[in-house]
Amino acid sequence: MKLGIVGLPNVGKSTLFNSLTKAGAESANYPFCTIDPNVGVVTVPDARLGVLTEMYQSKRTIPAVVEFVDIAGLVKGASQGEGLGNQFLSHIRETDAIVHVVRCFDDANIIHVDGSVDPIRDIETINLELIFADMETVERRIAKVGRAASFDKAQAKECEMLKKIKELLENGKKACEFETDDEDEIGWLRGYSLLTRKPVIYAANVSDDDIADDGANNEYVAKVREFAKEEGSEVFVISARLEEEISELEEDERKEFLTEMGLEEAGLEKLIRASYHLLGLISFLTTGPDETRAWTITRGMKAPQAAGKIHTDFERGFIRAEVVAYDDLVSCGGMLQAKEKGLVRSEGKEYVVKDGDVILFRFNV
């Protein structure tokens, strides 16, 4: 999973990136301090892996990972090259979803690029730049396929679809509002990597005082939640400054600090949970003496395709999957005991993998 972190300058974007990845991206109180997109890879916290590793005395443990890309602060006119220009918009095209950091705190000492705090205005500023960038992509594609549309039915069909999307964008709407069940159109859309079709998670960045109650009394957060609800996006409340402090602590100190602050989890866990939910992702597990590992798949994926995540040969030569739920495996104390109790199932090609399934794939190539 690859997430692009965007936002206006000085909203806490790079501070959040630092705390999530400990990658040390430069953070300062002025626009454009992030000159290049910073990339950091973090592991997905999953307590189940530790339990299985201990149970099987696995030689190594491999969690799922998330790649974060910190994009330089966008400003009004970025799609036409203002600020650091649309070079950074191209980096967002490579991501699965966009994490949009929105400032939801007042602080006279931290400059806002527009002179005042207004999260909805900030969201609309970024969205408009993404719309402009998509419009450029669509217009280029129309120019290309339009030349052959008069004698090629497929390209004529694509051109018609592009014109509908262009009309949406011209009306200030996102490309995600274009809905289709047509397989051709779905394939073309995937190839364009339009920015405004990507799922969005809003990170409402609040002061330390507002984090304990999850921003319940913060009017800025309330506005962001209402906006996100209307477009079907996710929101999580975070204090980027506090997260940076937490990231410097050892594991035991971190738990103690979170408890003192009245928090159940750190921001990374919040963000990953929101990302998995938004993108429809789950994890299945494999375990044994050599390795315990988490594999990220799309919810609804069937056993052969899940096996293919491990190796293409597993999918090609799939015979069956021996499946046990994580909780059942742990309560029994091992696979043998779970089998004796009839909790290990033999599943075929139509089995839909569930989150927390511990699976042994049988295959023959």
Side-chain angles (χ1 to χ4, degrees):
M1 181 166 61
K2 191 172 185 179
L3 304 176
I5 303 179
V6 304
L8 290 171
N10 298 341
V11 297
K13 183 174 53 62
S14 291
T15 303
L16 176 61
F17 175 81
N18 291 349
S19 65
L20 294 177
T21 65
K22 300 181 184 177
E26 184 183 4
S27 176
N29 182 23
Y30 57 90
F32 316 129
C33 64
T34 311
I35 303 303
D36 294 308
N38 294 274
V39 179
V41 177
V42 300
T43 59
V44 175
D46 192 336
R48 298 174 299 192
L49 293 176
V51 175
L52 293 177
T53 295
E54 187 173 341
M55 181 184 291
Y56 284 90
Q57 294 297 298
S58 305
K59 293 175 184 175
R60 60 177 184 167
T61 306
I62 305 177
V65 298
V66 178
E67 184 175 323
F68 290 104
V69 183
D70 179 30
I71 310 296
L74 297 172
V75 292
K76 205 172 289 184
S79 57
Q80 278 78 46
E82 290 296 324
L84 289 173
N86 59 8
Q87 57 178 307
F88 294 103
L89 294 174
S90 65
H91 296 296
I92 313 173
R93 293 194 189 283
E94 301 166 8
T95 62
D96 299 306
I98 294 172
V99 179
H100 187 163
V101 183
V102 187
R103 179 169 168 175
C104 293
F105 64 90
D106 292 306
D107 189 334
N109 296 316
I110 300 179
I111 305 161
H112 190 289
V113 70
D114 285 329
S116 62
V117 178
D118 183 342
I120 303 306
R121 179 199 61 208
D122 294 354
I123 289 171
E124 289 175 344
T125 295
I126 297 289
N127 283 349
L128 195 56
E129 294 310 313
L130 301 184
I131 285 170
F132 285 149
D134 279 351
M135 201 178 299
E136 186 180 337
T137 299
V138 168
E139 286 173 347
R140 280 202 308 267
R141 187 63 187 168
I142 288 174
K144 185 173 182 180
V145 302
R147 290 191 291 268
S150 59
F151 55 84
D152 186 305
K153 287 185 178 180
Q155 296 202 49
K157 180 180 176 182
E158 182 182 358
C159 196
E160 283 304 308
M161 181 196 73
L162 286 163
K163 287 176 181 177
K164 290 175 185 176
I165 295 171
K166 183 185 176 185
E167 186 178 352
L168 275 175
L169 297 170
E170 287 174 338
N171 290 324
K173 296 180 179 179
K174 290 183 173 184
C176 60
E177 294 191 35
F178 178 79
E179 297 179 2
T180 180
D181 294 324
D182 186 287
E183 289 187 10
D184 291 336
E185 293 183 341
I186 291 169
W188 291 326
L189 284 166
R190 192 179 295 119
Y192 306 150
S193 295
L194 295 176
L195 302 176
T196 60
R197 282 190 69 83
K198 292 187 182 296
V200 178
I201 304 165
Y202 293 106
N205 188 17
V206 301
S207 66
D208 298 357
D209 296 335
D210 286 332
I211 196 66
D213 66 356
D214 204 36
N217 297 309
N218 183 308
E219 62 180 45
Y220 298 136
V221 173
K223 289 178 180 178
V224 174
R225 282 180 168 143
E226 185 179 347
F227 185 93
K229 185 178 180 181
E230 287 180 5
E231 67 174 25
S233 297
E234 293 277 329
V235 179
F236 77 104
V237 176
I238 196 166
S239 167
R241 194 200 63 79
L242 194 65
E243 288 299 323
E244 195 165 37
E245 285 186 32
I246 292 171
S247 70
E248 300 299 324
L249 301 175
E250 297 297 328
E251 186 63 31
D252 292 342
E253 294 175 319
R254 186 179 297 141
K255 289 178 181 177
E256 187 178 336
F257 184 80
L258 288 170
T259 302
E260 287 176 4
M261 293 298 298
L263 302 173
E264 293 182 3
E265 58 186 356
L268 178 62
E269 284 87 347
K270 277 187 181 182
L271 175 53
I272 288 174
R273 191 174 66 250
S275 304
Y276 268 58
H277 181 257
L278 187 67
L279 295 172
L281 302 176
I282 60 171
S283 294
F284 74 89
L285 311 167
T286 56
T287 189
D290 290 331
E291 175 185 287
T292 291
R293 184 165 183 166
W295 304 86
T296 302
I297 61 170
T298 305
R299 188 180 299 278
M301 185 174 281
K302 294 181 179 179
Q305 289 71 50
K309 291 287 182 180
I310 301 175
H311 197 285
T312 52
D313 284 349
F314 282 33
E315 181 175 3
R316 190 157 53 93
F318 179 88
I319 298 173
R320 67 180 185 278
E322 294 181 9
V323 184
V324 60
Y326 166 81
D327 289 337
D328 289 340
L329 180 63
V330 172
S331 65
C332 290
M335 188 68 80
L336 184 61
Q337 296 92 320
K339 280 183 178 179
E340 290 172 351
K341 292 187 177 182
L343 296 172
V344 179
R345 309 181 309 277
S346 181
E347 302 286 3
K349 292 182 178 181
E350 295 303 310
Y351 177 70
V352 176
V353 177
K354 298 179 179 61
D355 185 61
D357 277 349
V358 182
I359 306 179
L360 174 63
F361 292 106
R362 300 293 184 185
F363 71 102
N364 183 31
V365 177

